Amino acid sequence: MNRQPPKLFLRFLRWFCHPDLVDPIEGDLIELYDERLKASGRLHANTKLAADILLLLRPNIIKTLQGTQQLNLLGMFNNYLKVGFRNILKYKSFSLINVFGLAVAMAVSLVIMLMLNDQYSYDQFHQNRGQIYRVLTKFKDSSLPNGPSPYPLASALQQQYPFVESATHLLRKVGGDMIHQQSTNRNSTEVRGFITDPNFFQVFDFQLEQGDARKALQSPNTVVITRAVADRLFPEENPVGKIVAYADRGLELIKIDIGNVKEDTPQDWGFFTITGVIDMSQYKSHIRFDMLIADTTLPTLQENGFKNNDEENWKQYSNVYTYVKLMEGSQRAKLDAALAELTTTNYQSTVGLETMELLSQSMNEIITGSFVGAPLSLRLPSEAYIVLFVLALIIMCSACLNYTNLSLARVLTRVREIGVRKVNGASRWHLVFQFLTESVLISLLALAMANLLLLVLKPTFSNLWINEVLSFNLSLNFTILGIFLLFAVLVGLIAGLYPSLVLSGFTPLKALKDFSGGKTGKNRLRKMLSVTQFAFSLFFIITSLLIGRQFDYIMHYEYGFNTADVWNIPVQGNDYRLLQQEFSTIPGVTGVSASEFVPALLYTNGASIRLPEEDIPHQSETLGIDHHFISNMGLELIAGTGFTSADANAQKVIVNESAARILGFEDNLAAVGQSIEALRGTYVITGIIKDFKFQAPIMGNGETPLVMHYHPEIISYLNLRTAPSDRKAMVNLLAEKWESMDEIHPFKAYAYEDQLQRANQMVSDLVWVIRVITLLSLIISCMGLLGVAMYTAERKTKEVGIRKVLGASGIQLMKLVGKSYAIIMLLACLIAAPLSYLINVQWLESFPNRVEFGLGTILLGIVIMLLLALLTIGSQLLKVSRKNPVDSLRYE
Amino acid sequence: MKKFQLGEFEEVVMLTVAILYDNAYGVSIKKEIETRLNRKVSVGALQSALKRLEDKSYLKSHDGEATQERAGRPKRFFKITALGKEAMEYTRSTRNSLWDAIPGISLDVKFSLDRII
């Protein structure tokens, strides 16, 4: 009989057990095994043995990680760490420069990583998100695709193509007020959302908290609301089955309320039964809504003229978002082929839409992909991330260059150590490993500091206006912390790679011999690195100066009409003429005009115009106004007459000079009295107005054709001009008047000047970001320079001392040390100045309104950089030249 | 601060090693404890305790001859050191002094039961 215990068990024991203990323990186990084998059989003995061995897995029995042959590396690693720490502590100023520089750069990179992480966490809750696609429309000659698509698309895809599991459409521009009339204080709330079909819940994985998803959107006049809306309308009540009244104002889903958007008059859509409640706070999706109305309601709405019947209309392509879920295993190519087929059947022979294309966009690309027109939610397009990424990369490179540069400069301090290690048998790769350990150590320290900086940066970033719109959630989690750690290690490896290769390359003989005469090629490389760094800095300074000037220009932009002391008041569905009458009685109000929307903010309304005999229309913008508008806003009529009160709804327009020019009239006078095709038929031009800046500065320079018309029903803003007065008092007066006429809607008024400022806020945030990055890059390169200067100054102490004793003046000494830096600066200027010009001209040209960019800005940038460099190096030079020669000669 | 660190199981092991005198090695100690105290002892717990006691210098060890029945593995015999003896005596005396300090009445179970009933 085989009396041997299983070999595998004992091998395992030998593997983990401390070598001092293993023999007697194994002996004990074998002895016990024998006894058990005799007493109760093999199986029992085997299980007992296994249990015993497992129970031997104890800290003081498992072998330690030291001392064994294979683990010698670990001992060396400990040594490297120790030496690394000692070096950090010994050269505190250098370590500080390195750690701080890397930390600043890392903090910026971390913010960008957090932003990316946030973006990639959208729409992750859909189980089959790989199968969900949105259909985009795009004209072949336009650069951007649009989010919306035609209404019939969803049903066409579902009915004609078997690989489509389900398709849903979301009708946009549905938003208004929802009122719970039975409640004691008539709870009401503003809601925005879609008209959609029951497929919504099949395509997406939104779950209803209350109600049945299959039946929720089936019958007419049913609505699904969100938990937030339910809490406002029905506090402490079960909302399902309750009835609410809804009045639609055609609100857009994206709320950037700076008082610029055209508002529709409220339409009473009647009563709706609530069939479901959905808790949107659970879902992080690009689709945000407060309510979903069943599309079976549409026929009633169409009867009442609230909505057009687009069910068979392929030409209307901008009102509906279409989402498709494919069968499991279906390829995107199939969907693309289907869309191509639909494009051919529906658009190839449609006049005006021949170049229309239908494109698919996967769910995963919606948040992270490039920008589309009329998006469902605002976010930074992928292009913006590329820019941010490049900026972060440049800063990161700058910080890494610092490390490389300083490590190379400090070669002397390490050379003996390298020699000794080599003589004791270290191979080159051991040394590479050692220096990499050190750089990773520095980089990990920097990560710790970067996290502290992040604590400061995050709130600042969250307070930016951009973030109000894009709603970034920059919270940390373990995955992202893990990524940070990896990132830090990687940065350490990159920064340390070159110095470690160079330092480890010394032959022991050379290293142990006196090394002070080290004028080798490495110096040249170091200078090149400095040049690169300063070239970057100069580029940043010039760019930042230019952006600053451009921004100032936009902020103090001359609009060509008088915006001071003007209040814009949304009429919120009231009859504007009544309001106009009432407001004009308020003392201090000098004029009240009305308009469709507020010009020069981000909103515009396009239309095409043409002469009756022309075939091809011209692109133009339109603006609905009343007969007071021109005089009230201080616009200049250069030919013909303005509107009179009798012109309401008349087929008359006022055009601007640019429109007259594009229509081909010889002069402005010739245009008056001519008819053009625009908007809703034929109009007669009654007046020509001098071009004024009716577009936001980033959108156009006002030299775009503009057609102004007078249709009272589209008016949604009053423009109130007041005598210069106290703003608060004025608002109070206006609000009082408003409340006497409209009890439902809260009074809203916007100071025109503030609105203009808000509209340009995006630009100002961008400027802020770029300035911060410039500053950081500057700080980093100056610190690098400081480090090198400090080291050079230290090394030249003796030389300077001797020269001083022999009678050299302070200026001469400065020249001696400063000469090499002058060359670095000069080279940096030569490289960066033309480069920054070429690159900056590119983006500047995309601005319709821009400042001159010439030698002045570049020279200013160079001067700023030189001054900064002089400050950093100068302090060191001064220190050296002032030192008492007695002290400097005693040095060493 | 305690002068000698000796846990309950460690004390049991020390005492057993003392009982076995010349023949105190892994298996014999294990069996002795199991028969005398009627409790299960795993090889792991025992070896770990022995290692601890040896690290504290309460025990010293020497390897015996390799024998056939143990597939050539030596027995490791343990002996109590002078320090170990001191530690045991210290533990015993502190325990005794605690016992002595108990007033007789508090352990008179009958009396306290009377009070409760």
Side-chain angles (χ1 to χ4, degrees), chain B residues 58-109:
Chain B
Y58 294 168
L59 292 178
K60 61 183 176 192
S61 67
H62 68 275
D63 283 359
E65 297 284 308
T67 55
Q68 188 58 45
E69 56 181 313
R70 288 164 65 92
R73 312 279 177 243
K75 289 177 181 172
R76 178 162 289 180
F77 292 104
F78 291 90
K79 268 219 158 71
I80 291 175
T81 62
L83 186 70
K85 190 174 159 233
E86 226 177 299
M88 285 165 74
E89 275 166 359
Y90 173 79
T91 317
R92 186 180 185 174
S93 68
T94 44
R95 190 121 350 144
N96 281 347
S97 73
L98 285 176
W99 273 100
D100 293 345
I102 300 172
I105 207 163
S106 87
L107 285 178
D108 195 340
V109 180

Side-chain angles (χ1 to χ4, degrees), chain A residues 363-382:
Chain A
M363 196 70 166
N364 295 325
E365 296 164 357
I366 293 180
I367 285 283
T368 52
S370 42
F371 191 76
V372 298
L376 262 172
S377 53
L378 282 181
R379 42 167 212 86
L380 282 186
S382 52

Side-chain angles (χ1 to χ4, degrees), chain A residues 20 24 26-28 31 35, chain B residues 25-26 31 47 70 73 76:
Chain A
D20 287 351
E26 203 181 20
D28 284 1
E31 196 182 327
E35 280 172 26
Chain B
Y25 74 101
K31 281 184 185 154
Q47 290 294 343
R70 288 164 65 92
R73 312 279 177 243
R76 178 162 289 180

Side-chain angles (χ1 to χ4, degrees), chain A residues 326-387:
Chain A
L326 303 188
M327 291 288 190
E328 202 129 339
S330 296
Q331 297 297 313
R332 183 178 187 165
K334 272 182 161 177
L335 177 65
D336 287 337
L339 290 175
E341 202 175 296
L342 286 171
T343 308
T344 320
T345 39
N346 293 296
Y347 293 117
Q348 204 165 45
S349 49
T350 312
V351 179
L353 298 175
E354 297 94 338
T355 63
M356 173 74 102
E357 280 180 303
L358 298 170
L359 303 172
S360 65
Q361 182 187 35
S362 105
M363 196 70 166
N364 295 325
E365 296 164 357
I366 293 180
I367 285 283
T368 52
S370 42
F371 191 76
V372 298
L376 262 172
S377 53
L378 282 181
R379 42 167 212 86
L380 282 186
S382 52
E383 291 84 349
Y385 284 103
I386 295 173
V387 172

Side-chain angles (χ1 to χ4, degrees), chain A residues 632-648:
Chain A
N632 193 33
M633 299 310 280
L635 302 180
E636 195 183 331
L637 210 56
I638 48 179
T641 56
F643 293 131
T644 63
S645 54
D647 288 334

Side-chain angles (χ1 to χ4, degrees), chain A residues 102-116:
Chain A
L102 283 173
V104 166
M106 270 186 198
V108 174
S109 311
L110 295 191
V111 169
I112 292 170
M113 278 192 213
L114 281 177
M115 282 164 74
L116 273 174

Side-chain angles (χ1 to χ4, degrees), chain A residues 261-299:
Chain A
V261 180
K262 190 181 152 193
E263 284 202 10
D264 291 357
T265 46
Q267 299 165 335
D268 185 5
W269 283 12
F271 294 99
F272 289 82
T273 313
I274 292 167
T275 49
V277 178
I278 185 168
D279 186 3
M280 281 303 278
S281 61
Q282 284 178 24
Y283 302 110
K284 194 171 183 185
S285 172
H286 76 285
I287 306 172
R288 306 298 304 172
F289 54 86
D290 301 318
M291 58 148 189
L292 300 169
I293 292 178
D295 72 340
T296 38
T297 321
L298 270 175

